[in-house]
Amino acid sequence: MTTFLTFTLLGLVLGAVYAIAASGLVLTYNTSGIFNFAHGAQAMLGTFLYWQLAHGWGWPVWLALVVVVGVVGPAMGAALHAVIMKGLRDTADVTRIVVTVAIMLGMVFLSQWLWHPEEARVVEMFFGADAKVEFLGVVVRVHEIICLLVAAAIAVGLRMLFTRSRVGVVMRGTVDDPDLIRLNGHNPDRVAALSWAMGSTLAVLAGILITPIGGGALEANALTLLVIDAFAAAMFGRLRSIPRTFAGAMVLGLAATYVTAYFPTDWTWAGNLRVSLPMIILFVVLVLLPQDRLRGAAVRTRERYRVPTVRRAAVWGVALVAAVVLLMPLMEDTSITTFGLGMTFAIIALSLTLLTGYAGELNLAPLAFGAVATIVAFHFGITGTGLAARLTLWGILLAVLVAAVVGGLVALPALRLRGLYLALATMAFGVFLSNMVLRDTVEHTLFGVTFSLFPNGALIVPPLQLGPLDLRDPGTLLISATALFAAIAVGLVALRGSGYGRRLAAMKDSPAATAMLGQDLVRLKFGVFMLSAAIAGLGGVLMSTAAGSVSGENFAIMAGLSLVMLTVVGGIGYVSGALFGGLMSGVGFVIIIGTFNDLARATPEMATIYQTLGQVVLVATALIGMGVGKNPSGLVHDLFDGYRTLRGARPVLAGGAAAGAVLYLLALTGVIGNWWFAILTALLVMTLPALGRALMPRAVLTEEELARRRSVPPELAGIDEPYTDELRDRLDQELGLPAREGRGGPHARPAVEEGDVHAIA
């Protein structure tokens, strides 16, 4: 009985902290309609700051709490709303999700910069671990009692806020109809800012309370995911009901402690199950709870994508392969290997283009399907041993097939989910796979066969050899991965233009209208999920062969979220957006950190400056994702729009091509270094549209843009720009004078000389 009471109390304490964190999610979602994936990162950042004040600098605990919970927490939430969140109206679900994911990643990078991960930091319990009381034979620590009392007070306070106060009613109405709230004399932005401040405060408080209970040193990713476990409790209340959210949190906490207490000790997977349990419960809750009815596209979002023709996509695919072949002589072997790894990530990102860009379905764990395919290829697709080991073609095909089947199995219970619910379901699957499967390093015996899913915590996947094609060579791997990316990309463009692709686009635009036209939404979702998982599985196997050896960290949920974010930043509706996202995710971070570390080692006197710059660039990469709200169509869309205007300015295009060729020859002959070549080429590509507008405005700009450019205020005529016939005509029109002869008809007056203009003025 004592054991039962002890673990029940521990479960209630853990559930209380989950409830505090989940109530902050419910609060912000109810007032802004945005599910804050950065909630755990806010808790993590606040906890690190609390440690710095209370333990690093020796401040009194009460003062550190007042500063962090009372000042920093609300300020962080209000700042997020003012700078980012209020600009996310009329954007698609994927844009809202990616912005908060970018904030989460930026906060993780920031904490790892300010507090080095290799230094151990421990947050102590309030009044110390020795402050205890005994109740019914169970020893309870004072910190745990505080957690229960704080959770109860917050539950009562939020319930009264939403049901008994005018502010709470306004908060609930803000997300449904802000215009109506504004007509009644309230400011919805101010109300939403208040709710974000309160939600951030609750997140920070939950992080400070839960860290001493879990024990161990502070770690950014672990603490972020620990608070993310509260997502299950928030969904139990369907992001609306505070009482149901608290009930779900208690179920979550009790289930976790009972697994620890009563599962047999010889079950080697019990520990992994306990860690995975919140995500299992989240998935089950999402599947079982009733969903909203299908809705048409009541509000048009700001995302716009232009799908190229198959012929144009094929031309660009050939150009991509040719560009890689030309760049290879400039790269060292290590750079070629790294570049090849990035191309495999780009193949995985193509699965997001199909699933999210074309069909509007969300998947936050694309790397999970790559992990499934890698495990299958490792166990069933390798022939030979040692240095003679090779991955077989049949092994790759089997791995891709199994990944597609797993994608279908994951999609099957989630077919009725849409938008945010589907994103959370795929995230739950990704975290479950990381915690339950990729950590399974022990041996099992089933039907007389002994096996281990992830032996020794790492899988060594040899490269494929198919006749003369041997991917052990880095150059061959890079060209093969690039050609495969181009082929899949052209295939996706062709699919988008087919009848099946148009049905996917219709489902994305309006599921209700698609269903009314007789389309089977279940079959469409099931098919596109399987095809997307197959592409991700293929990219995952190639990524594993490019890396040589992979661990669970290669497929972690944070890496998958980073890939999703960067693909959306590039343009989720473009195959070139997948290229951008894959290269940045697979290569960009490695190059950034490696380059600045090399500079730091080369010049020890400036090591601190270079290391700081590397961290700043890393955080800035996440800041790019936060800007998706202002540019939801992606960077590729803007770049393509700029180059479309250059069709009439062929001399500018020819000059740009010539400049690129000169830079390539200079790099090939060693006159400039590879980094200078990369930087100058990137600048040329980005600035060429602006040069076209400046050098050949009549060929590039539309008539409307030219008119706006000519619209100089009359009082600045002859000052900001020289006199021209067009400017003189506009001055005549502003002054009410008749048009001049030869330009305005037979009754036009003689031309006005400059002296006459000055006299008139």
Side-chain angles (χ1 to χ4, degrees):
M1 187 63 180
T2 302
T3 302
F4 174 76
L5 291 176
T6 300
F7 282 95
T8 298
L9 181 62
L10 289 175
L12 291 175
V13 172
L14 184 60
V17 181
Y18 282 153
I20 296 173
S23 60
L25 279 171
V26 174
L27 189 63
T28 54
Y29 184 81
N30 269 315
T31 54
S32 64
I34 299 172
F35 188 88
N36 185 16
F37 281 84
H39 199 67
Q42 290 176 259
M44 175 272 302
L45 203 59
T47 305
F48 269 98
L49 181 59
Y50 168 75
W51 176 90
Q52 186 64 52
L53 297 180
H55 302 283
W57 294 342
W59 287 23
V61 171
W62 67 267
L63 181 58
L65 280 174
V66 169
V67 171
V68 175
V69 179
V71 178
V72 175
M76 181 164 46
L80 284 177
H81 175 266
V83 177
I84 301 172
M85 299 304 169
K86 71 177 183 180
L88 294 182
R89 290 193 178 274
D90 301 335
T91 56
D93 288 335
V94 64
T95 302
R96 299 184 181 191
I97 290 171
V98 162
V99 168
T100 56
V101 167
I103 296 171
M104 178 185 69
L105 294 174
M107 288 181 173
V108 170
F109 294 152
L110 179 62
S111 68
Q112 292 173 344
W113 172 23
L114 298 178
W115 296 280
H116 199 279
E118 294 182 1
E119 182 181 344
R121 300 174 181 83
V122 179
V123 176
E124 298 178 357
M125 293 187 173
F126 295 151
F127 303 103
D130 296 330
K132 306 174 182 176
V133 297
E134 187 173 339
F135 178 73
L136 297 177
V138 178
V139 177
V140 186
R141 288 168 291 193
V142 173
H143 183 93
E144 296 169 342
I145 297 175
I146 293 175
C147 290
L148 291 171
L149 294 177
V150 169
I154 290 174
V156 173
L158 289 179
R159 178 67 176 174
M160 294 182 65
L161 173 69
F162 280 126
T163 59
R164 302 291 181 87
S165 69
R166 181 180 295 273
V167 174
V169 174
V170 174
M171 282 184 174
R172 286 187 294 162
T174 298
V175 67
D176 292 329
D177 197 334
D179 293 331
L180 183 60
I181 293 296
R182 194 175 285 107
L183 286 174
N184 281 274
H186 300 284
N187 188 337
D189 287 335
R190 186 179 301 170
V191 173
L194 174 62
S195 69
W196 274 87
M198 295 172 62
S200 178
T201 301
L202 293 175
V204 171
L205 179 60
I208 294 173
L209 292 175
I210 200 172
T211 302
I213 297 175
L218 283 174
E219 202 279 320
N221 287 330
L223 182 55
T224 300
L225 292 175
L226 185 63
V227 178
I228 283 177
D229 289 344
F231 286 5
M235 295 309 302
F236 194 87
R238 296 198 68 191
L239 296 173
R240 296 187 182 94
S241 171
I242 292 294
R244 285 204 300 267
T245 297
F246 271 74
M250 295 305 169
V251 171
L252 195 63
L254 290 171
T257 55
Y258 287 158
V259 166
T260 303
Y262 295 108
F263 271 40
T265 56
D266 59 346
W267 288 6
T268 55
W269 46 269
N272 293 339
L273 177 64
R274 181 193 178 280
V275 178
S276 307
L277 195 60
M279 292 298 106
I280 297 174
I281 294 176
L282 173 60
F283 191 88
V284 172
V285 167
L286 287 168
V287 171
L288 295 182
L289 282 181
Q291 303 298 309
D292 297 330
R293 295 181 178 180
L294 288 177
R295 295 182 179 179
V299 178
R300 300 295 299 179
T301 59
R302 291 187 276 122
E303 290 81 355
R304 296 292 181 268
Y305 302 114
R306 294 187 179 96
V307 182
T309 63
V310 177
R311 181 178 179 180
R312 182 172 297 175
V315 170
W316 281 109
V318 173
L320 174 64
V321 176
V324 170
V325 171
L326 290 174
L327 288 175
M328 283 180 59
L330 303 180
M331 296 186 287
E332 300 176 355
D333 289 344
T334 54
S335 300
I336 293 175
T337 302
T338 304
F339 198 4
L341 184 65
M343 289 305 305
T344 62
F345 270 86
I347 293 174
I348 300 175
L350 283 175
S351 68
L352 299 173
T353 300
L354 170 64
L355 185 66
T356 305
Y358 292 174
E361 305 298 321
L362 299 176
N363 177 16
L364 296 185
L367 294 183
F369 300 103
V372 171
T374 297
I375 293 173
V376 173
F378 174 80
H379 287 287
F380 303 103
I382 297 177
T383 181
T385 58
L387 295 177
R390 287 292 187 272
L391 183 64
T392 64
L393 179 61
W394 294 110
I396 293 179
L397 295 178
L398 178 62
V400 171
L401 178 61
V402 172
V405 172
V406 172
L409 293 176
V410 172
L412 196 58
L415 287 176
R416 52 197 290 272
L417 304 178
R418 296 179 300 279
L420 171 64
Y421 289 172
L422 181 59
L424 287 172
T426 56
M427 180 179 179
F429 169 72
V431 176
F432 165 78
L433 188 80
S434 297
N435 294 336
M436 195 72 188
V437 177
L438 303 186
R439 291 185 180 182
D440 188 12
T441 60
V442 299
E443 291 187 346
H444 306 279
T445 301
L446 184 65
F447 302 117
V449 178
T450 301
F451 65 94
S452 175
L453 291 177
F454 223 82
N456 302 320
L459 300 181
I460 299 176
V461 183
L464 171 71
Q465 183 175 7
L466 190 63
L469 182 67
D470 187 359
L471 298 189
R472 188 179 295 275
D473 177 64
T476 305
L477 173 65
L478 173 57
I479 295 176
S480 300
T482 305
L484 185 60
F485 171 88
I488 297 174
V490 173
L492 290 182
V493 171
L495 182 145
R496 175 59 181 83
S498 66
Y500 181 76
R502 289 193 290 271
R503 289 195 293 272
L504 292 179
M507 180 178 66
K508 174 185 178 180
D509 188 63
S510 177
T514 306
M516 286 182 61
L517 293 174
Q519 299 299 320
D520 189 343
L521 296 183
V522 173
R523 184 177 299 176
L524 283 174
K525 287 185 179 182
F526 187 73
V528 75
F529 255 98
M530 290 190 67
L531 184 55
S532 172
I535 296 173
L538 176 61
V541 173
L542 292 178
M543 184 266 286
S544 301
T545 61
S549 176
V550 291
S551 65
E553 293 300 319
N554 293 97
F555 306 102
I557 188 64
M558 289 296 185
L561 291 174
S562 176
L563 177 61
V564 174
M565 180 200 75
L566 290 170
T567 304
V568 174
V569 168
I572 194 70
Y574 296 101
V575 292
S576 49
L579 179 65
F580 173 87
L583 290 178
M584 284 298 298
S585 179
V587 179
F589 293 153
V590 176
I591 292 178
I592 290 171
I593 296 299
T595 300
F596 283 103
N597 286 341
D598 291 342
L599 291 172
R601 284 192 294 267
T603 53
E605 65 277 6
M606 299 184 65
T608 303
I609 296 176
Y610 283 129
Q611 290 172 354
T612 301
L613 288 175
Q615 296 294 338
V616 170
V617 173
L618 202 59
V619 174
T621 304
L623 295 177
I624 296 175
M626 301 179 197
V628 174
K630 295 183 178 179
N631 181 23
S633 298
L635 298 177
V636 172
H637 180 86
D638 287 350
L639 186 63
F640 282 0
D641 274 353
Y643 273 88
R644 285 190 187 96
T645 62
L646 294 181
R647 292 173 181 173
R650 293 186 178 180
V652 176
L653 289 174
V662 170
L663 290 175
Y664 176 76
L665 291 176
L666 292 176
L668 191 62
T669 54
V671 177
I672 61 175
N674 292 345
W675 272 110
W676 277 111
F677 168 73
I679 293 172
L680 293 175
T681 302
L683 289 175
L684 176 64
V685 171
M686 300 299 293
T687 59
L688 198 60
L691 289 175
R693 288 192 294 270
L695 298 177
M696 301 183 66
R698 292 184 179 275
V700 173
L701 301 179
T702 63
E703 289 297 329
E704 183 179 351
E705 291 171 333
L706 288 172
R708 283 199 303 267
R709 173 172 289 195
R710 291 193 298 262
S711 59
V712 178
E715 61 272 15
L716 298 180
I719 299 176
D720 277 7
E721 65 177 51
Y723 282 108
T724 61
D725 290 338
E726 289 83 5
L727 181 57
R728 289 188 177 96
D729 290 341
R730 198 169 68 83
L731 282 174
D732 291 345
Q733 183 178 2
E734 293 284 346
L735 296 172
L737 300 175
R740 289 183 294 151
E741 184 177 0
R743 299 180 59 89
H747 302 289
R749 69 180 185 86
V752 181
E753 300 295 334
E754 287 187 17
D756 297 329
V757 173
H758 289 300
I760 295 173

